[in-house]
Amino acid sequence: MKRALGKRYTRPARQRQNPRRLRIAGMTDGIMTLQMAEALDVTLRGALVAHQGMLEAQSPCFLQLETKGELLTIRCRVVNSRVISSGRDEDPRFESMMEFLAVNPPAEQALTILIQALGARGSREAGGP
């Protein structure tokens, strides 16, 4: 996509409205992989995410959050990972619990925003304000 001179590229509104999307860089069969994930639950200590591609328990990984055009990386450890869906016609989906090992102040601020967004979405889905 081309951008006009002097104008800053902004993501389409649909992408900005889904703060649940993030990236995971983790070990799969001894190879570092980068994959998209969906945040299911997030605290300042860790996250539960859904993704494709098995991540080995106790392996190191990185969670990448995009906020205000910046990419923030948080060093993590995979606590556990399990299959949540699989079938002949679809790729297996996994659910993994990540423990944050080092969270710097900008990452903590981004996590707080993500936690608030997940909470607001949850209350709307449950019939809240």
Side-chain angles (χ1 to χ4, degrees):
M1 179 184 256
K2 290 185 179 181
R3 63 180 186 178
L5 290 174
K7 297 227 176 180
R8 190 170 175 194
Y9 171 75
T10 57
R11 290 182 178 265
R14 183 176 179 164
Q15 289 179 348
R16 284 192 307 252
Q17 292 174 354
N18 191 358
R20 298 173 71 150
R21 300 289 293 173
L22 44 93
R23 293 179 199 89
I24 299 173
M27 297 299 285
T28 303
D29 296 326
I31 300 169
M32 185 64 84
T33 61
L34 182 65
Q35 53 188 300
M36 294 304 293
E38 181 179 359
L40 303 175
D41 192 16
V42 178
T43 69
L44 292 177
R45 296 184 61 205
L48 178 65
V49 297
H51 56 91
Q52 292 179 322
M54 179 69 174
L55 295 173
E56 297 173 17
Q58 306 305 317
S59 67
C61 66
F62 297 93
L63 221 55
Q64 295 178 331
L65 305 168
E66 188 171 342
T67 178
K68 299 178 185 175
E70 292 184 42
L71 193 60
L72 299 170
T73 302
I74 301 171
R75 194 166 54 95
C76 308
R77 176 180 67 88
V78 179
V79 175
N80 62 40
S81 189
R82 66 184 181 104
V83 176
I84 56 174
S85 70
S86 65
R88 290 183 182 207
D89 298 335
E90 61 184 41
D91 291 330
R93 298 270 304 153
F94 295 87
E95 188 176 86
S96 297
M97 175 58 84
M98 311 289 177
E99 175 186 25
F100 301 146
L101 300 176
V103 179
N104 60 23
E108 185 174 330
Q109 194 172 28
L111 286 170
T112 301
I113 292 168
L114 179 58
I115 291 165
Q116 291 170 348
L118 288 171
R121 182 178 178 156
S123 65
R124 280 194 301 268
E125 289 174 353

